[in-house]
Amino acid sequence: MNFLRLFAAIAAFAGIAASALGAMPEMDGVVLKGVTDKDPCSYVVGEKMKFSFSLHGLADGVSLDGLKLKWKRQGDDGKTEEGLVPLSRAPMTIETSIAKPGFVRMEGWVVDSNGDKVKRAKSIGKSCLGNEEVYFTGGAAAGLRKISQGVAEPSDFDAVWESALKRLFADKPVNAGNVSSFARVLPQSEAGGNPNAIRVAVAVPSYGPNWTDCHATGYLTMPKNAKPGSLKAVISFDGYGIYRPSIPWTCDDGKIELHVNAHGIYPLDLDDAAWEAFQRDVINARGSYAFNDDDNAVFEKAYFFGMAMRVASATAFLREYVKTLPEWNGKDLISQGGSQGGLQASWAAALVKGVSEVRLEAPWCCDLGGREVGRMGGWRPKWHPTLGYYDPVNMAKRFPKEMTKTVARSALGDYIAPPCGHAVLFNAMKGRKTVKFLQGGDHYGEPGVYSQADTRKACK
């Protein structure tokens, strides 16, 4: 089951449970929002953080008798606090602080007189958890620019990657002379979708874990009849899950875009039996992929190793392939992705020369060793020093200074990809960089309208 489907199943079950326990229809359109008294990531260490909670969408005349706001504060300082205050139509304020550089997580729920969380009759918005509840998740940070990596990078980081990439491109070369053999332009009868798009099936020889032969696969799209020099090149990567490849239906008029499959599924149009065998033999045989502790203790055995090899092969392919296309503008090669896609995009930007820009959204696995120094952990593999070779923070130190670097979304209530890791990532980057922290949402996606945004930029 892929990651988003898993949470959809949780949400569906929770919705059934809410109905069974007696939801409150008068809360169906109500949103609990929280804001801080200043930009949420602008506090200094020890400064009071004031969180103000308010109800939005509550109809006139709805009684709040017996209802309370339950709040819970956790922090990178290891401290947890919680409490109850009477629910009010007026803003409700909770104060806290943190005595070291780091993040505070603040959650809030509407609860009844028994302390049970109030359920809506109909879920609203998108959330990993809580979309059937009147719920807020967010946070704040103190000493943002002083938050550093929890565990130092491997001392031989550069040597290990240099050796791996040297072998990869010696055994499975990607160059101007062979890229056409890795690409098959699909006829319109096979591609379907937008008749004004060119679609290309891509399969680049690469490696999986333990140097097993495989392919980096995906589909490339570009508009027909684009003017010479008018298109940017983009390589994009998927979030966590196992997705059966499908030919892209849409096509961006301004881009040559290669969408890479995370698992090297080959051939791209494999039949049902082959798809089931792939899931069984490649993914499920070692448990949930990327979470096998024994594998993660060995650099070349880790599932991330094969994924990184395919990222490097696919990115090198796109770099060379667009040089054969007069439509490419000759300068823009953008690596992008969200969650696990952001993890992969960071590998592309650090490991392959020629990437001009990296765009990450809620990137996964940043500061993997942070929990070892007491920081709030996310949904991620158990720490092992070998995982430091794959940490986006260590990759970010290798991003070229002239590269444009953007973390487009870091939700302050996201504890799959915690915001503290994104702060460490931002601090590790050199040159032009931006990170946007958003209040009132989690990893799944936007809850509709964020209550605050705090954008940090640097140019050198």
Side-chain angles (χ1 to χ4, degrees):
M1 179 180 290
N2 73 48
F3 181 59
L4 295 184
R5 287 175 183 165
L6 172 63
F7 282 109
I10 292 172
F13 176 80
I16 293 171
S19 177
L21 293 173
M24 295 180 64
E26 60 269 34
M27 290 290 175
D28 281 359
V30 177
V31 175
L32 178 65
K33 289 191 176 183
V35 296
T36 49
D37 59 324
K38 56 190 290 189
D39 287 341
C41 295
S42 66
Y43 292 95
V44 298
V45 171
E47 183 180 4
K48 287 290 184 183
M49 300 170 172
K50 295 182 180 180
F51 285 85
S52 180
F53 290 93
S54 57
L55 295 169
H56 294 255
L58 183 67
D60 293 340
V62 173
S63 174
L64 300 182
D65 290 347
L67 299 180
K68 292 182 172 62
L69 169 71
K70 179 180 179 179
W71 60 270
K72 182 177 182 180
R73 177 265 194 216
Q74 300 172 81
D76 288 330
D77 55 2
K79 296 179 180 180
T80 298
E81 301 172 307
E82 53 188 321
L84 291 166
V85 297
L87 195 66
S88 171
R89 290 178 181 272
M92 298 155 282
T93 300
I94 307 297
E95 291 188 359
T96 189
S97 64
I98 186 168
K100 58 186 289 188
F103 279 71
V104 164
R105 182 184 187 185
M106 183 66 75
E107 296 174 279
W109 298 263
V110 174
V111 300
D112 63 20
S113 57
N114 296 318
D116 295 325
K117 295 171 184 176
V118 167
K119 307 286 186 178
R120 301 184 180 96
K122 297 179 181 179
S123 296
I124 64 172
K126 293 182 178 180
S127 175
C128 293
L129 296 171
N131 56 324
E132 80 286 355
E133 302 166 357
V134 186
Y135 170 66
F136 166 85
T137 180
L144 185 77
R145 295 307 300 270
K146 296 180 180 179
I147 303 173
S148 59
Q149 192 169 16
V151 177
E153 68 176 44
S155 60
D156 59 352
F157 184 95
D158 290 316
V160 165
W161 277 113
E162 182 180 353
S163 176
L165 294 170
K166 183 177 180 179
R167 174 174 172 181
L168 170 67
F169 290 121
D171 295 350
K172 313 283 186 180
V174 177
N175 54 59
N178 66 10
V179 289
S180 61
S181 65
F182 307 146
R184 183 175 72 89
V185 179
L186 302 178
Q188 185 60 40
S189 59
E190 184 178 341
N194 183 351
N196 295 316
I198 297 169
R199 293 176 175 80
V200 181
V202 174
V204 185
S206 190
Y207 279 121
N210 281 329
W211 297 104
T212 51
D213 290 326
C214 70
H215 288 77
T217 58
Y219 287 102
L220 180 147
T221 59
M222 60 182 289
K224 288 182 179 178
N225 304 317
K227 295 180 180 179
S230 65
L231 303 180
K232 298 179 179 180
V234 177
I235 187 164
S236 58
F237 302 95
D238 278 334
Y240 193 93
I242 310 166
Y243 308 100
R244 192 167 185 172
S246 59
I247 299 170
W249 186 262
T250 60
C251 175
D252 192 306
D253 287 341
K255 299 176 184 175
I256 304 162
E257 182 168 1
L258 174 60
H259 188 110
V260 180
N261 180 276
H263 306 292
I265 294 173
Y266 180 80
L268 283 162
D269 56 352
L270 75 178
D271 59 26
D272 291 345
W275 171 241
E276 292 175 5
F278 174 84
Q279 294 180 86
R280 180 186 66 245
D281 299 337
V282 177
I283 303 298
N284 298 330
R286 301 292 294 177
S288 298
Y289 79 83
F291 282 83
N292 186 292
D293 292 342
D294 291 338
D295 290 351
N296 287 341
V298 182
F299 174 67
E300 295 169 1
K301 193 176 179 182
Y303 194 84
F304 282 161
F305 176 78
M307 194 180 285
M309 291 291 97
R310 293 188 294 271
V311 165
S313 295
T315 306
F317 161 81
L318 183 61
R319 181 193 63 201
E320 298 305 315
Y321 187 69
V322 294
K323 292 176 183 177
T324 71
L325 304 175
E327 296 88 349
W328 182 47
N329 67 15
K331 59 179 182 178
D332 290 308
L333 176 55
I334 301 164
S335 175
Q336 67 180 24
S339 191
Q340 177 191 266
L343 170 68
Q344 295 174 88
S346 77
W347 298 341
L351 300 178
V352 181
K353 293 181 180 179
V355 176
S356 62
E357 181 175 353
V358 60
R359 299 176 181 172
L360 312 176
E361 186 168 335
W364 190 42
C365 291
C366 295
D367 189 33
L368 279 167
R371 186 180 284 161
E372 303 302 297
V373 294
R375 290 175 183 156
M376 292 178 284
W379 181 81
R380 56 176 65 183
K382 180 182 176 181
W383 169 249
H384 190 284
T386 302
L387 291 176
Y389 293 107
Y390 303 102
D391 194 321
V393 171
N394 296 328
M395 295 291 171
K397 299 173 189 176
R398 276 83 185 170
F399 294 168
K401 187 175 182 180
E402 63 274 13
M403 179 186 290
T404 300
K405 297 161 281 285
T406 304
V407 180
R409 179 169 67 90
S410 175
L412 293 171
D414 181 357
Y415 280 84
I416 289 171
C420 188
H422 302 152
V424 177
L425 180 76
F426 177 76
N427 290 339
M429 296 174 180
K430 300 179 179 64
R432 297 188 302 275
K433 56 183 179 179
T434 302
V435 59
K436 188 174 185 180
F437 294 103
L438 295 165
Q439 186 75 278
D442 59 26
H443 190 74
Y444 188 90
E446 296 191 14
V449 179
Y450 288 105
S451 53
Q452 283 176 302
D454 188 350
T455 301
R456 303 285 157 153
K457 296 183 178 181
C459 297
K460 57 183 179 180

